[in-house]
């Protein structure tokens, strides 16, 4: 076995992030896998997350905070007692293996359809603008499921927004009762909070639209509500300031990112998690100096995610622009990814056909190294 002090030592240095100590800096990114038909995590999720407890921190798949937050069938929720109990069992499975896990709180906003919404109502958004080319995931009348163009949303009324903030707070309450170590606010990937932040999707004229500060008001209110429950030192947020997805565009991505960094730093948030614009395979397009500015402005943990391998991850740590790196697809096929990185082992290739939906195949059946890990999770 390779000497661990010689191979990528930075990735295996413990990290204090907020009030939580991580044993390494190999983070499991949130990964939608669409394997909870009733929205309640079960034994399959216990096995899946338990297998990956060697991550410095597991960030759960995006989890709907309410029935109206949904845009994809077969994704989990955190608004019912049964969902809370299901997640509690998942957390216990991770903790039993010595792992740490955060719950990612999700509202898709306009990336939805009436077929997914309660009583067939339209999805909600900052403005009544349909996402061009956006697709959600629905169940059809014949019982099959698949992608479907999104509906035109309705604009949230000003007096409705505090109710959604409360949905986030209640989701955090349930997450804390379920035993999660942290929560991550999903403000990325063109979903609801990202829609409020971006100029192209937010055309409001009330206190939640117009100026940069107004567009950030709702997301920051969400952060504050969640932090009241967990404490800011146990809260992170995921951002994609330069990503144009599902028809979302933004004229001020860098300005907004810096404003949020300052505001979140003032609040003492545990970490910022950037899903880089190159995550889908294109080159990363951050402006020159962006990461350096983030390091100056935000004193908590900085996590980057987007097509990294061990060497690129180590380089990011070496330049001191990141404190940890999140890995998505490599964790799908390699439940023991940190150990593989540590010893320089080859990685299993993920089966794209089993990314979404199904059962054990492509989920809990990827092989481990012959190192004593529990293959049953």
């Amino acid at each position: 076995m390779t000497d661990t002090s010689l191979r990528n030592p930075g990735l295996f240095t413990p990290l204090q992030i907020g009030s939580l100590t991580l044993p390494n800096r190999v983070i499991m990114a949130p990964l939608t896998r669409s394997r909870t038909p009733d929205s309640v995590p079960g034994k399959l999720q216990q096995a899946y997350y338990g297998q990956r407890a060697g991550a410095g921190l597991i960030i759960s798949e995006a989890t709907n905070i309410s029935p109206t937050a949904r845009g994809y069938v077969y994704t989990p929720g955190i608004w019912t007692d049964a969902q809370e109990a299901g997640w509690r069992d998942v957390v216990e499975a991770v903790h039993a293996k010595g792992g740490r896990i955060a719950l990612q709180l999700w509202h898709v906003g306009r990336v939805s359809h009436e077929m997914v919404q309660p009583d067939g109502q339209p999805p909600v958004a900052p403005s009544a603008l349909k996402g061009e080319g956006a697709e959600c995931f629905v169940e059809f009348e014949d019982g099959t499921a698949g992608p479907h163009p999104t509906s035109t949303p309705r604009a949230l009324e000003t007096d409705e927004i505090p109710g959604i903030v409360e949905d986030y707070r209640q989701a955090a309450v349930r997450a804390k009762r379920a035993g999660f170590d942290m929560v991550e606010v999903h403000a990325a990937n063109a979903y609801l909070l990202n829609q409020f932040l971006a100029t192209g999707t937010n055309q409001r004229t009330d206190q939640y639209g117009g100026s940069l500060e107004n567009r950030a008001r709702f997301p920051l209110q969400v952060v504050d509500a969640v932090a009241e429950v967990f404490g800011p030192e146990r809260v992170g947020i995921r951002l994609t300031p330069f990503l144009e997805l599902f028809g979302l565009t933004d004229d001020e991505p860098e300005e907004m990112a810096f404003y949020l960094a300052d505001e979140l730093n003032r609040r003492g948030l545990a970490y910022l998690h950037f899903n880089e614009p190159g995550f889908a395979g294109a080159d990363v397009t951050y402006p020159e100096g962006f990461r350096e500015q983030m390091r100056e402005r935000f004193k908590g943990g900085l996590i980057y995610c987007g097509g990294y391998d061990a060497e690129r991850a180590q380089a990011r740590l070496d330049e001191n622009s990141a404190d940890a790196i999140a890995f998505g697809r490599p964790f799908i096929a390699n439940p023991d990814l940190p150990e593989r990185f540590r010893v320089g082992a080859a990685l299993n290739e993920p089966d794209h056909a089993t990314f979404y939906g199904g059962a054990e195949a492509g989920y809990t059946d990827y092989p481990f190294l012959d190192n004593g890990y529990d293959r049953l999770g």
Side-chain angles (χ1 to χ4, degrees):
M1 186 172 288
T2 303
D3 183 349
T4 61
S5 67
L6 299 179
R7 185 179 295 277
N8 297 334
L11 284 174
F12 301 98
T13 304
L15 173 64
Q16 185 74 25
I17 196 160
S19 62
L20 189 66
T21 301
L22 310 186
N24 62 64
R25 298 164 187 247
V26 181
I27 309 300
M28 179 174 167
L31 293 158
T32 293
R33 303 303 306 277
S34 301
R35 280 171 166 84
T36 53
D38 57 0
S39 78
V40 177
K43 292 188 180 300
L44 195 60
Q45 284 69 42
Q46 294 169 39
Y48 172 74
Y49 285 109
Q51 287 177 339
R52 290 156 177 80
L57 176 69
I58 294 171
I59 304 172
S60 81
E61 62 204 281
T63 300
N64 303 291
I65 62 167
S66 70
T68 56
R70 299 172 70 231
Y72 302 78
V73 294
Y74 310 158
T75 53
I78 189 66
W79 72 85
T80 71
D81 291 345
Q83 292 163 348
E84 180 183 328
W87 276 120
R88 183 181 302 112
D89 291 340
V90 171
V91 171
E92 289 176 356
V94 171
H95 286 170
K97 298 289 185 65
R100 295 149 183 81
I101 183 168
L103 184 70
Q104 191 187 64
L105 304 177
W106 190 29
H107 192 308
V108 302
R110 73 180 189 174
V111 187
S112 187
H113 191 275
E114 283 94 338
M115 285 187 283
V116 186
Q117 291 290 309
D119 303 319
Q121 60 186 298
V124 298
S127 302
L129 301 170
K130 183 176 180 178
E132 294 304 321
E135 291 184 329
C136 55
F137 202 80
V138 306
E139 189 172 66
F140 301 106
E141 291 183 1
D142 63 1
T144 62
H148 191 282
T150 59
S151 302
T152 300
R154 68 172 182 85
L156 282 163
E157 299 293 337
T158 303
D159 61 6
E160 290 182 288
I161 292 178
I164 298 183
V165 174
E166 179 62 15
D167 288 341
Y168 276 98
R169 192 186 74 82
Q170 288 296 331
V173 167
R174 288 188 178 276
K176 190 170 185 179
R177 287 200 303 244
F180 280 96
D181 299 290
M182 308 183 83
V183 287
E184 179 177 281
V185 174
H186 195 346
N189 295 6
Y191 295 122
L192 182 65
L193 299 184
N194 195 179
Q195 292 161 25
F196 270 83
L197 294 171
T199 58
T201 43
N202 185 342
Q203 297 185 4
R204 303 178 69 90
T205 57
D206 62 1
Q207 65 264 40
Y208 294 101
S211 70
L212 184 146
E213 293 80 6
N214 280 358
R215 299 197 314 275
R217 189 183 307 276
F218 173 40
L220 290 174
Q221 287 176 343
V222 168
V223 168
D224 290 341
V226 170
E228 286 178 8
V229 177
F230 265 82
E233 71 281 358
R234 293 284 178 132
V235 177
I237 188 170
R238 199 176 210 213
L239 301 168
T240 45
F242 301 97
L243 178 66
E244 295 189 352
L245 183 67
F246 301 148
L248 180 145
T249 59
D250 191 3
D251 294 332
E252 299 179 325
E254 188 170 30
E255 296 90 338
M256 179 61 81
F258 291 156
Y259 175 74
L260 289 174
D262 291 341
E263 287 295 311
L264 296 169
N265 184 67
R266 185 171 62 81
R267 287 163 166 81
L269 219 65
Y271 69 80
L272 305 185
H273 178 189
F274 289 96
N275 194 20
E276 294 177 337
F279 80 94
D283 290 337
V284 174
T285 55
Y286 282 162
E288 184 177 354
F290 176 80
R291 291 189 181 88
E292 291 77 9
Q293 278 283 317
M294 276 297 152
R295 178 60 84 191
E296 287 295 318
R297 292 170 179 270
F298 187 74
K299 304 310 177 186
L302 292 175
I303 302 172
Y304 289 91
C305 180
Y308 283 91
D309 57 20
E311 288 69 31
R312 288 186 60 233
Q314 184 61 49
R316 193 69 72 209
L317 299 183
D318 289 343
E319 71 184 24
N320 194 35
S321 62
D323 298 294
I325 300 296
F327 299 84
R329 294 181 181 189
F331 256 117
I332 289 178
N334 299 275
D336 54 353
L337 184 66
E339 178 69 0
R340 288 177 183 266
F341 281 169
R342 189 178 69 84
V343 303
L347 301 185
N348 302 319
E349 288 296 323
D351 176 10
H352 292 230
T354 58
F355 277 3
Y356 306 108
E360 293 89 352
Y363 193 60
T364 56
D365 62 348
Y366 282 104
F368 286 72
L369 290 170
D370 187 16
N371 59 5
Y373 271 56
D374 180 358
R375 288 153 175 76
L376 299 178

